[in-house]
Amino acid sequence: MNKLNYFKLVIPAKSANEGFSRAAVAAFTALADPTVEELSDVKTAVSEAVTNCIVHAYKEKEGLIYIDACFFENGCVRIKIRDRGCGITDVKKAREALFTTAGDERSGLGFTVMESFSDKLTVRSKPGAGTTVTITKYIKGKNDAH
Amino acid sequence: MEITFANSVMTASLTGEIDHHSAKEMREKIDFELIKRKPSKLILDFSGVTFMDSSGVGLVMGRYKKCSAIECRTSVTGLRERDKKIMKMSGLINVVEFI
């Protein structure tokens, strides 16, 4: 499948970058002419993935987050969000709704929300090496032209 | 965010984007007033919220727990449809009043 456009972004794992990263991915996705709803879905899923890097992978300490977004000819937007943090021992368990290791103020819904607002979600993780979350969203757009 | 009181009801009118970053300051301000004023009801008004991820759910969950400890009821109002969908993924809908 032909790549029509792409961008890469490397940012430090700071919570102030949660808003920046979802705005950057939203600006990129906007080039694919999505509906308001599709754009909000992408923003929400990216926000969850980046927050996981900060809260879980790097435990609110230093680290880098690598974002790699592509837009394909068939209207597919694929966003890879990668960290080199602690990794997830049990990915299946981490993806369960309401499961969290982060205490009272976290809902444990991060992966559930990502799944709900994307068309496909893959999670690859290696304890001690890091995690890659790939969010796939098909943009049908305002006039379904793709 | 604005916090107002009427009788024994505390209303926190949330504004802007709610994520893990912004939720921290919101919860600190709400909890400070909750402990100081001990209202009988807390209303979290989301009508000024332009974006939220699951941190919004965490914010409500955390306040619900804090309120329960001081016998204060929790109520949520002004949620957009898509944010209601996120709230429904949690069990909060059974214990918190959604208007």
Side-chain angles (χ1 to χ4, degrees):
Chain A
M1 189 54 63
N2 264 351
K3 230 188 236 186
L4 290 182
N5 203 357
Y6 65 92
F7 89 106
K8 288 173 195 288
L9 181 68
V10 183
I11 46 168
K14 290 179 186 296
S15 66
N17 280 334
E18 291 158 10
F20 169 68
S21 58
R22 66 175 174 264
V25 176
F28 173 79
T29 306
L31 298 172
D33 202 22
T35 62
V36 173
E37 195 66 16
E38 286 166 342
L39 198 58
S40 298
D41 291 353
V42 168
K43 268 180 88 170
T44 311
V46 168
S47 194
E48 298 292 351
V50 170
T51 303
N52 274 353
C53 298
I54 295 164
V55 176
H56 297 285
Y58 295 120
K59 311 243 181 304
E60 316 232 12
K61 293 188 177 77
E62 272 181 43
L64 290 175
I65 301 169
Y66 305 82
I67 300 176
D68 186 329
C70 300
F71 176 54
F72 296 93
E73 219 173 31
N74 64 350
C76 166
V77 172
R78 194 187 64 205
I79 307 132
K80 279 191 187 182
I81 296 163
R82 183 166 61 90
D83 65 68
R84 287 182 174 152
C86 67
I88 305 168
T89 326
D90 187 343
V91 173
K92 197 167 167 261
K93 184 90 191 154
R95 288 180 74 152
E96 280 176 15
L98 305 174
F99 175 80
T100 185
T101 53
D104 273 359
E105 297 293 336
R106 302 298 312 161
S107 65
L109 288 175
F111 280 123
T112 310
V113 169
M114 279 184 248
E115 278 169 10
S116 157
F117 291 121
S118 61
D119 291 310
K120 191 181 166 198
L121 183 81
T122 59
V123 183
R124 288 204 178 86
S125 192
K126 200 175 165 192
T131 302
T132 303
V133 167
T134 307
I135 297 160
T136 305
K137 182 83 181 168
Y138 289 95
I139 304 296
K140 294 181 186 76
K142 292 163 197 152
N143 49 20
D144 213 358
H146 297 294
Chain B
M1 183 183 67
E2 195 186 45
I3 295 178
T4 55
F5 291 88
N7 300 317
S8 187
V9 179
M10 171 174 155
T11 304
S13 304
L14 310 168
T15 50
E17 305 201 326
I18 305 182
D19 58 15
H20 155 255
H21 180 72
S22 65
K24 185 174 181 282
E25 196 185 323
M26 290 178 184
R27 75 166 174 262
E28 282 170 359
K29 280 187 182 162
I30 296 169
D31 290 355
F32 178 78
E33 294 296 336
L34 261 185
I35 291 158
K36 198 169 79 175
R37 309 281 288 258
K38 293 195 173 52
S40 60
K41 187 177 183 179
L42 168 69
I43 301 172
L44 295 166
D45 183 357
F46 278 72
S47 48
V49 172
T50 53
F51 170 87
M52 75 160 233
D53 62 16
S54 68
S55 305
V57 182
L59 184 72
V60 177
M61 278 172 89
R63 306 300 63 67
Y64 167 71
K65 284 180 187 166
K66 288 251 163 35
C67 282
S68 299
I70 56 165
E71 290 177 5
C72 168
R73 284 179 298 139
T74 315
S75 180
V76 175
T77 183
L79 279 172
R80 299 176 307 164
E81 275 312 309
R82 62 176 292 115
D83 299 341
K84 229 178 242 177
K85 191 174 154 189
I86 301 176
M87 288 287 177
K88 278 182 183 164
M89 293 174 191
S90 71
L92 276 173
I93 214 97
N94 302 316
V95 290
V96 174
E97 181 189 25
F98 284 85
I99 304 165

